Amino acid sequence: MKTISLQVIQGLERGQCYPRLRVPFTIGREEENAIQLNDERISRCHVKVQQDGDRVILTDLQSTNGTRVNGLPVQMTVLRPGDLITIGRCVLLFGSPEEITEHCDELHRNALEHHRLIDTGNTLPEANADLAQDEHGAAGLDTMGLFDDHGHPAAPFPGGRPPLPDLTTLHSRSELSDLLAYVHNTLLQVLQSRDTGNGNGEQKSESVDDSTARLPWPSWQKMLELETELAEYLRELGDPDHE
């Protein structure tokens, strides 16, 4: 039986991780769901997650307010690591960090292979020029220490996210929480405004011109990682027992 990972990155349960959920299961407002979310905009049994072969399928169970994946309304869809599921006011990230990394690496390899196949000389078709720009641009930035040997953004903190500072007063914790919430919500708007389905290893927005809407998968992965870390910070700040 397949197990999957989900993390709540927005909502009252923000920062809560579900690392080994056995499919099938449901998400909703009532206790009988594998993931119970406290939000009146969520139906009692809102969505079902199940397995079909090696695919994970999410189905909206005729909920009152619907379900979105990566900002787009869905009735039934195949989930891929890194997908953002919006249910009511809650947003859940699908996939473990390892699964998201593997998925992004695979898409990155596919994009480079696609570029290799269509490159017939010194020029590229206009539709694919952005792929070459991503690859060559990453190589150029590598001399500045911004990318690793694989073309991925280098980690600015190799030891992991830094701990929260020692905040001894309630108002200082509240002010930091407000600052992180601002960054978290702004980043979440960016993540939810982009579509994952163009097949070339990049994110593509449906609401802006194609020439400015492309983001390399490694950068998209780093944004997802930052979003989950911000959710964890905010959960810690809101925990009165956390020191």
Side-chain angles (χ1 to χ4, degrees), residues 164-181 232-243:
L164 287 171
D166 182 16
L167 301 171
T168 57
T169 63
L170 182 60
H171 78 269
S172 61
R173 294 176 65 90
S174 299
E175 289 172 352
L176 178 57
S177 180
D178 286 344
L179 176 60
L180 292 179
E232 292 168 2
Y233 277 134
L234 288 165
R235 183 177 182 84
E236 292 174 10
L237 283 170
D239 182 1
D241 298 326
H242 178 76
E243 295 184 358

Side-chain angles (χ1 to χ4, degrees), residues 127-201:
N128 296 287
D130 56 328
L131 289 177
Q133 182 178 2
D134 286 340
E135 182 187 4
H136 298 156
L141 289 173
D142 188 37
T143 61
M144 302 170 59
L146 300 179
F147 288 80
D148 61 22
D149 293 339
H150 303 288
H152 296 180
F157 295 92
R161 67 183 180 98
L164 287 171
D166 182 16
L167 301 171
T168 57
T169 63
L170 182 60
H171 78 269
S172 61
R173 294 176 65 90
S174 299
E175 289 172 352
L176 178 57
S177 180
D178 286 344
L179 176 60
L180 292 179
Y182 168 77
V183 177
H184 170 78
N185 291 329
T186 302
L187 179 58
L188 186 59
Q189 289 179 345
V190 174
L191 289 169
Q192 290 181 314
S193 70
R194 306 180 79 84
D195 179 25
T196 61
N198 73 347
N200 289 334

Side-chain angles (χ1 to χ4, degrees), residues 82 190-191 194 196 203 215-224:
V190 174
L191 289 169
R194 306 180 79 84
T196 61
Q203 301 296 330
L215 183 68
W217 266 102
S219 299
W220 177 263
Q221 177 189 354
K222 296 302 294 184
M223 292 178 68
L224 287 176

Side-chain angles (χ1 to χ4, degrees), residues 67-102:
T67 303
R68 291 177 176 268
V69 174
N70 301 322
L72 301 177
V74 298
Q75 178 61 43
M76 178 181 291
T77 187
V78 176
L79 292 178
R80 297 171 177 82
D83 281 350
L84 294 169
I85 306 166
T86 303
I87 302 173
R89 300 184 186 91
C90 300
V91 180
L92 299 92
L93 173 63
F94 173 69
S96 66
E98 296 77 15
E99 290 170 335
I100 294 173
T101 297
E102 181 180 355

